[in-house]
Protein backbone atom coordinates (compact mmCIF):
# COMPACT_ATOMS: atom_id res chain seq x y z
CA UNK A 1 0.00 0.00 0.00
CA UNK A 2 1.03 3.56 -0.62
CA UNK A 3 2.16 5.26 2.58
CA UNK A 4 2.24 8.88 1.44
CA UNK A 5 3.51 11.12 -1.33
CA UNK A 6 6.13 13.83 -1.39
CA UNK A 7 8.43 14.96 1.40
CA UNK A 8 6.60 15.25 4.70
CA UNK A 9 7.49 15.38 8.36
CA UNK A 10 7.06 12.15 10.30
CA UNK A 11 3.60 11.39 11.62
CA UNK A 12 2.77 9.62 14.89
CA UNK A 13 -0.44 8.31 16.39
CA UNK A 14 -1.80 8.64 19.93
CA UNK A 15 -4.30 5.87 20.54
CA UNK A 16 -6.42 4.80 23.50
CA UNK A 17 -8.83 1.91 23.97
CA UNK A 18 -12.04 2.56 25.89
CA UNK A 19 -14.82 0.34 27.17
CA UNK A 20 -18.37 1.31 28.10
CA UNK A 21 -18.54 0.15 31.73
CA UNK A 22 -21.09 1.16 34.38
CA UNK A 23 -22.72 3.59 31.92
CA UNK A 24 -19.60 5.56 31.07
CA UNK A 25 -16.60 5.28 28.75
CA UNK A 26 -13.50 4.20 30.67
CA UNK A 27 -9.96 3.73 29.42
CA UNK A 28 -9.09 0.01 29.42
CA UNK A 29 -5.64 -0.23 27.83
CA UNK A 30 -3.93 1.95 30.45
CA UNK A 31 -4.78 1.88 34.13
CA UNK A 32 -3.40 3.23 37.39
CA UNK A 33 -2.01 0.45 39.56
CA UNK A 34 -3.10 1.89 42.92
CA UNK A 35 -6.79 2.56 42.26
CA UNK A 36 -7.50 0.53 39.10
CA UNK A 37 -8.73 3.33 36.79
CA UNK A 38 -6.75 6.36 35.57
CA UNK A 39 -7.74 9.75 36.92
CA UNK A 40 -6.99 13.16 35.52
CA UNK A 41 -4.41 14.10 38.20
CA UNK A 42 -2.21 11.01 37.69
CA UNK A 43 1.25 11.98 36.44
CA UNK A 44 2.17 11.28 32.84
CA UNK A 45 5.25 9.21 33.72
CA UNK A 46 4.34 7.18 36.82
CA UNK A 47 1.77 4.68 37.95
CA UNK A 48 0.62 3.16 34.66
CA UNK A 49 0.37 -0.32 33.29
CA UNK A 50 -0.77 -0.53 29.69
CA UNK A 51 -1.39 -2.71 26.69
CA UNK A 52 0.20 -1.20 23.58
CA UNK A 53 -2.33 -2.01 20.87
CA UNK A 54 0.04 -1.24 17.99
CA UNK A 55 3.44 -1.83 19.64
CA UNK A 56 4.49 1.77 19.11
CA UNK A 57 4.39 1.32 15.35
CA UNK A 58 4.64 4.25 12.94
CA UNK A 59 2.71 2.41 10.24
CA UNK A 60 1.41 4.81 7.60
CA UNK A 61 -0.57 2.03 5.95
CA UNK A 62 -2.45 1.56 9.23
CA UNK A 63 -2.88 5.31 9.67
CA UNK A 64 -4.49 5.51 6.25
CA UNK A 65 -6.89 2.62 6.88
CA UNK A 66 -8.02 4.05 10.22
CA UNK A 67 -8.86 7.58 9.08
CA UNK A 68 -7.27 8.45 5.75
CA UNK A 69 -4.15 9.95 7.36
CA UNK A 70 -0.97 9.93 5.25
CA UNK A 71 -2.65 8.62 2.14
CA UNK A 72 -5.16 9.31 -0.61
CA UNK A 73 -7.87 7.27 -2.30
CA UNK A 74 -6.39 8.54 -5.56
CA UNK A 75 -3.55 6.05 -5.05
CA UNK A 76 -5.23 3.39 -2.86
CA UNK A 77 -7.84 0.83 -3.93
CA UNK A 78 -8.82 0.11 -0.32
CA UNK A 79 -10.63 3.06 1.29
CA UNK A 80 -10.30 4.11 4.95
CA UNK A 81 -12.67 2.44 7.40
CA UNK A 82 -14.20 5.85 8.10
CA UNK A 83 -13.45 9.51 7.47
CA UNK A 84 -12.23 11.26 10.64
CA UNK A 85 -15.12 11.79 13.08
CA UNK A 86 -13.41 14.07 15.59
CA UNK A 87 -13.18 13.10 19.24
CA UNK A 88 -16.26 11.59 20.91
CA UNK A 89 -18.09 13.94 23.24
CA UNK A 90 -17.97 11.45 26.11
CA UNK A 91 -14.51 10.05 26.85
CA UNK A 92 -12.22 9.08 29.69
CA UNK A 93 -10.58 11.78 31.80
CA UNK A 94 -7.09 10.52 30.95
CA UNK A 95 -7.78 10.94 27.25
CA UNK A 96 -9.13 14.46 27.81
CA UNK A 97 -5.96 15.36 29.69
CA UNK A 98 -3.71 13.92 26.98
CA UNK A 99 -5.49 15.96 24.32
CA UNK A 100 -5.52 19.17 26.36
CA UNK A 101 -9.19 18.66 27.16
CA UNK A 102 -10.05 18.15 23.53
CA UNK A 103 -9.45 21.79 22.53
CA UNK A 104 -8.68 20.90 18.91
CA UNK A 105 -8.19 24.45 17.52
CA UNK A 106 -5.28 25.02 19.92
CA UNK A 107 -3.51 21.79 19.00
CA UNK A 108 -2.29 22.89 15.60
CA UNK A 109 -0.22 19.77 15.00
CA UNK A 110 -3.04 17.34 15.84
CA UNK A 111 -5.14 16.08 12.95
CA UNK A 112 -7.50 13.30 11.81
CA UNK A 113 -8.89 12.79 15.32
CA UNK A 114 -11.42 9.97 15.31
CA UNK A 115 -12.78 6.85 17.00
CA UNK A 116 -13.83 3.41 15.82
CA UNK A 117 -15.67 0.65 17.66
CA UNK A 118 -14.53 -2.93 17.64
CA UNK A 119 -17.59 -3.69 15.52
CA UNK A 120 -16.56 -1.14 12.88
CA UNK A 121 -13.02 -2.50 12.78
CA UNK A 122 -14.22 -6.09 12.41
CA UNK A 123 -16.91 -5.30 9.84
CA UNK A 124 -14.36 -3.50 7.64
CA UNK A 125 -12.86 -6.93 6.89
CA UNK A 126 -9.38 -5.40 6.97
CA UNK A 127 -8.34 -7.51 9.94
CA UNK A 128 -9.09 -10.80 8.19
CA UNK A 129 -7.81 -12.65 5.18
CA UNK A 130 -9.21 -10.77 2.20
CA UNK A 131 -8.92 -10.67 -1.58
CA UNK A 132 -6.08 -8.37 -2.61
CA UNK A 133 -4.59 -7.29 -5.92
CA UNK A 134 -1.49 -5.39 -6.86
CA UNK A 135 2.07 -5.48 -8.12
CA UNK A 136 4.47 -7.59 -6.06
CA UNK A 137 8.06 -8.77 -5.92
CA UNK A 138 7.81 -12.39 -7.18
CA UNK A 139 10.16 -13.95 -4.64
CA UNK A 140 8.74 -12.09 -1.65
CA UNK A 141 5.21 -12.88 -2.81
CA UNK A 142 5.82 -16.64 -3.03
CA UNK A 143 7.41 -16.62 0.42
CA UNK A 144 4.44 -14.74 1.90
CA UNK A 145 1.89 -16.92 0.14
CA UNK A 146 3.51 -20.11 1.41
CA UNK A 147 3.36 -18.84 5.00
CA UNK A 148 -0.33 -17.92 4.68
CA UNK A 149 -1.12 -21.30 3.12
CA UNK A 150 0.44 -22.91 6.23
CA UNK A 151 -1.96 -20.93 8.39
CA UNK A 152 0.59 -18.32 9.45
CA UNK A 153 -0.05 -14.58 9.41
CA UNK A 154 2.13 -12.74 6.92
CA UNK A 155 1.67 -9.50 5.03
CA UNK A 156 2.71 -9.16 1.39
CA UNK A 157 4.06 -5.77 0.38
CA UNK A 158 2.54 -4.58 -2.88
CA UNK A 159 2.15 -1.60 -5.17
CA UNK A 160 -1.49 -0.63 -5.57
CA UNK A 161 -2.99 -0.84 -9.06
CA UNK A 162 -3.79 2.88 -8.81
CA UNK A 163 -0.14 3.80 -8.35
CA UNK A 164 2.12 5.32 -10.99
CA UNK A 165 3.51 2.84 -13.51
CA UNK A 166 7.16 3.54 -12.64
CA UNK A 167 6.59 1.97 -9.19
CA UNK A 168 5.78 -1.37 -10.86
CA UNK A 169 9.28 -1.86 -12.25
CA UNK A 170 10.57 -5.36 -11.49
CA UNK A 171 7.20 -6.47 -10.15
CA UNK A 172 4.41 -8.71 -11.41
CA UNK A 173 0.65 -8.36 -11.09
CA UNK A 174 -1.08 -10.81 -8.73
CA UNK A 175 -4.44 -11.39 -7.05
CA UNK A 176 -4.39 -13.33 -3.79
CA UNK A 177 -5.96 -13.90 -0.37
CA UNK A 178 -3.85 -12.17 2.24
CA UNK A 179 -3.67 -9.68 5.09
CA UNK A 180 -3.73 -6.01 4.19
CA UNK A 181 -2.24 -4.82 7.49
CA UNK A 182 -1.08 -7.11 10.30
CA UNK A 183 -0.82 -4.27 12.81
CA UNK A 184 -4.56 -3.78 12.35
CA UNK A 185 -5.16 -7.53 12.67
CA UNK A 186 -3.14 -7.65 15.89
CA UNK A 187 -4.91 -4.59 17.30
CA UNK A 188 -8.33 -6.15 16.79
CA UNK A 189 -7.16 -9.31 18.57
CA UNK A 190 -5.85 -7.27 21.52
CA UNK A 191 -9.14 -5.37 21.72
CA UNK A 192 -10.99 -8.69 21.79
CA UNK A 193 -8.82 -9.75 24.73
CA UNK A 194 -9.44 -6.49 26.61
CA UNK A 195 -13.17 -6.93 25.97
CA UNK A 196 -13.01 -10.41 27.49
CA UNK A 197 -10.94 -9.31 30.49
CA UNK A 198 -13.34 -6.44 31.28
CA UNK A 199 -16.38 -8.68 30.72
CA UNK A 200 -17.83 -6.37 28.10
CA UNK A 201 -20.57 -8.00 26.04
CA UNK A 202 -20.98 -5.88 22.90
CA UNK A 203 -18.46 -4.98 20.18
CA UNK A 204 -20.14 -1.54 20.17
CA UNK A 205 -18.91 -0.98 23.73
CA UNK A 206 -15.20 -1.26 22.98
CA UNK A 207 -13.52 1.39 20.84
CA UNK A 208 -10.25 3.06 19.95
CA UNK A 209 -9.96 6.85 20.16
CA UNK A 210 -7.00 8.35 18.38
CA UNK A 211 -5.39 11.32 16.67
CA UNK A 212 -2.21 12.05 14.74
CA UNK A 213 0.50 14.68 15.03
CA UNK A 214 3.39 15.74 12.79
Amino acid sequence: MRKGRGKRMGCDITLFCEGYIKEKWINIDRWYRKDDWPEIMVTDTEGFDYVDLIDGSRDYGLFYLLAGARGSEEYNSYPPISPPKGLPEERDALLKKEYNYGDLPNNVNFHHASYLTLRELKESGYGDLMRLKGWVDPDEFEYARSKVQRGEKHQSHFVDVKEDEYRREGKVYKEWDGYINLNLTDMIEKMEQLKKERRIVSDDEVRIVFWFDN
Side-chain angles (χ1 to χ4, degrees), residues 9 16 30 34 36 41 44 49-50 55 58 61 91-92 119 130-131 135 137 139 146 162-163 167 175 200-201:
M9 295 177 62
F16 292 85
R30 295 165 171 82
K34 291 183 179 179
D36 197 31
M41 297 306 294
D44 292 332
D49 287 337
Y50 69 99
D55 294 327
R58 179 185 276 183
R91 54 192 185 274
D92 186 271
R119 182 181 302 279
M130 59 180 291
R131 195 66 178 170
W135 295 81
D137 177 88
D139 293 335
S146 67
K162 290 186 176 181
E163 277 284 3
R167 291 178 55 81
E175 296 185 14
I200 299 171
V201 176

Side-chain angles (χ1 to χ4, degrees), residues 16-19 21 27-31 50-53 118 187-200 206-208:
F16 292 85
C17 187
E18 294 186 324
I21 301 172
N27 181 253
I28 60 174
D29 62 338
R30 295 165 171 82
W31 58 93
Y50 69 99
V51 176
D52 188 346
L53 294 186
L118 180 56
M187 182 174 68
I188 291 172
E189 291 177 354
K190 290 176 182 177
M191 291 173 69
E192 289 274 21
Q193 182 62 32
L194 288 171
K195 175 189 169 187
K196 179 180 179 181
E197 291 173 358
R198 301 296 183 180
R199 299 178 181 176
I200 299 171
V206 179
R207 70 186 184 189
I208 51 170

Side-chain angles (χ1 to χ4, degrees), residues 16-19 25 28 53 66 81 85 115-128 184-196 200-210:
F16 292 85
C17 187
E18 294 186 324
W25 287 101
I28 60 174
L53 294 186
L66 290 179
I81 296 169
K85 305 175 184 178
Y115 57 98
L116 293 165
T117 66
L118 180 56
R119 182 181 302 279
E120 289 175 297
L121 291 168
K122 289 165 68 173
E123 289 183 349
S124 73
Y126 288 158
D128 303 323
L184 179 56
T185 301
D186 292 343
M187 182 174 68
I188 291 172
E189 291 177 354
K190 290 176 182 177
M191 291 173 69
E192 289 274 21
Q193 182 62 32
L194 288 171
K195 175 189 169 187
K196 179 180 179 181
I200 299 171
V201 176
S202 172
D203 286 348
D204 294 315
E205 295 180 339
V206 179
R207 70 186 184 189
I208 51 170
V209 183
F210 56 93

Side-chain angles (χ1 to χ4, degrees), residues 56 105 125 133 155:
K133 60 182 180 179
Q155 179 180 339

